[in-house]
Amino acid sequence: MPTPILSYRDARLFKGDREHRILAGAIHYFRVHPELWEDRLTRLKAMGANTVDTYVAWNFHQERREDAPDFSGWRDLGRFIDLAGDLGLDVIVRPGPYICAEWDNGGFPSWLTGTPDIMLRSTDPRFTGPVGEWLDHLVPVIASRQAAEGGPVVAVQVENEYGSYGDSAAYIRWSAEALRERGITELLFTADGGSDYYLDGGAVPEIWATATLGSRGAEAIDVWKRRRPTEPFFNVEFWGGWFDHWGEAHHVRPGSEAAAEIRTMLDAGGSLCVYMAHGGTNFGLGAGANEDGGIQPTVTSYDSDAPIAENGALTEKFHAIRAEFLRAQGLAEDEWPALPAALLEPAAVLPARTLELSPARLPLLDSLRAGLDSAVAAGEHHPSERPLSFEEIGQHHGLLFHRATAVLPGREDAPQECLLKLPELHDRAQIWVDGEPVGILDDTTGTAGLAVQGHGREVVLEILVENLGRINYGPYTGQRKGLLGGVLINQRFTLGWEHLVVDPTRFGAEDLAGLATAAFEADAPADTYLALPGSTKGFVWVNGFLLGRYWEIGPQETLYVPAPLVKAGRNTVHVLELGVSGGTVELREAPQLGATRVDVLTEAELA
């Protein structure tokens, strides 16, 4: 087996025979338009980094089990690695199979996590079998680009933050061996939080243990000196910023405060990777969710208050971190290389304007009914006694429309109030009775239900369930989506359902033509920031590309439209509104990610 280019002894890291320090930043290829990969990597190098770190999102490459994993186009991981190498950057690959990353389902495809009774992230053969098949496709892309083969890949992660989830050393060793037997020869490492608790569950003696933390670096270094005295300290995820949830406020962290924490770890001789150096965007339906007494869906932007902003701008934090990286390389300030002028110039932006949004061909409910009627005629309506889940239908994300008839208690001359309850609802449901909207329930209100009036006669129940993003962290990772507990009228189940899949990621020209539409002209491709003032909630496309979700609850007000999505001439915007349309689309000249939640993140959030 070739000798790994990175090695360590006496708590020092070496590259070949020279002492080395990793100064890295994370960029996820799946969150950046591929025409911008080189630009964002160039900006990372200009920050003083010598290494780029990326996760690999399994469900980005293989959403359906029957399809072979796709490594073409936007999914061309090999090209991303090659571009980094061409720029002189080393590459660290974190293939999971679990990645967290605030990415939908932590990177797992739902066909895997929906396997009945499966134990994720364990030696359960129902889990390791599909993982092995995935690695058969993935690892050759990485292995052929290792340093031993003349490529830039210098290290590969084993699983990810496993000590936050489980404690099976056998599984960690299986994961390492699965990489080795498929051709990974470079240095392997695990990554866990910076305390004994996380190391207890996720680290094994024979694999380099690295840390993930955003504060209290000195405390973590002391833990490593005590627990892993022969290993160099490497914070593979320094959380220099934070992500946002819908309904909360935008997180920021001052660059000076982040840089001070970085200095602490670098002065102690450690290596460090800024997470994120450039966050990018959760395009389409890639955003995941957390769970804390209810689902906390992540917004479409993954700017994360990173040093390289979502639009590529070099922020105050960029300059603060660059100073620490260059200082760690032994360079006095008067020796720092000048930043290329092109990197300091703002990106071209389309002029601000307001576009009239023509109404959809049909109102939402009428459109759903027409789609379901067509599915019934074609025998594609998935009839069942109880409502089917997303997993049972084989649907990873989007929406499911359900229809059934029920008798609501009461009499025509004496209406009776009853409760329509959706126990175990995941995640959000809009409900109509005989075509009239009666309310919205979610995972925190579904069990209590909502009051509706019954007259002792049969009514049509119609329910549109939205998957707000699959949970990406903790024991609820892999949680199923849909009307998992059925539909109750008081204590009585409603049976006999029809179903329609509504998958915005697969809308074609005919689907888009029926949506609300606006258009704008552009002299040349340029960035823009799209807002829908007055609109409630939904999905938006530019030139047929699904940007992601918008939602009036914020904090995110604008969606980033990178220049490669804009073309010279006429451009179209399509909107699927789930509530009330504001009637216009605005193109703005700067992002609005919402009012900030705090000036400095608390230690609890960064720990």
Side-chain angles (χ1 to χ4, degrees), residues 194 213 216-227 233 264-270:
L213 53 101
R216 300 199 294 272
E219 294 178 27
I221 289 171
D222 287 342
V223 171
W224 255 252
K225 287 179 178 178
R226 173 169 47 80
R227 293 285 299 264
F233 182 78
T264 295
M265 287 177 274
L266 294 182
D267 281 354

Side-chain angles (χ1 to χ4, degrees), residues 57-144:
W58 182 359
N59 55 19
F60 185 63
H61 295 270
Q62 190 186 22
E63 182 180 315
R64 302 177 188 276
R65 184 164 196 174
E66 60 268 24
D67 298 333
D70 181 3
F71 291 96
S72 64
W74 202 315
R75 295 163 175 79
D76 192 348
L77 170 64
R79 176 174 172 265
F80 180 82
I81 293 172
D82 292 342
L83 283 171
D86 291 345
L87 291 169
L89 291 167
D90 289 342
V91 178
I92 292 173
V93 182
R94 306 172 73 186
Y98 165 77
I99 64 170
C100 184
E102 292 71 59
W103 187 254
D104 188 60
N105 218 25
F108 288 133
S110 62
W111 55 259
L112 174 73
T113 56
T115 304
D117 300 321
I118 192 172
M119 185 63 221
L120 301 176
R121 307 175 72 186
S122 78
T123 55
D124 180 346
R126 291 168 296 182
F127 178 74
T128 56
V131 170
E133 294 171 10
W134 158 238
L135 293 178
D136 287 342
H137 292 274
L138 170 63
V139 172
V141 176
I142 303 168
S144 62

Side-chain angles (χ1 to χ4, degrees), residues 105 165 291-293 470-480:
N105 218 25
Y165 180 86
E291 201 282 339
D292 186 13
R470 293 178 181 273
I471 292 170
N472 54 257
Y473 178 81
Y476 294 100
T477 302
Q479 186 179 71
R480 294 183 300 144

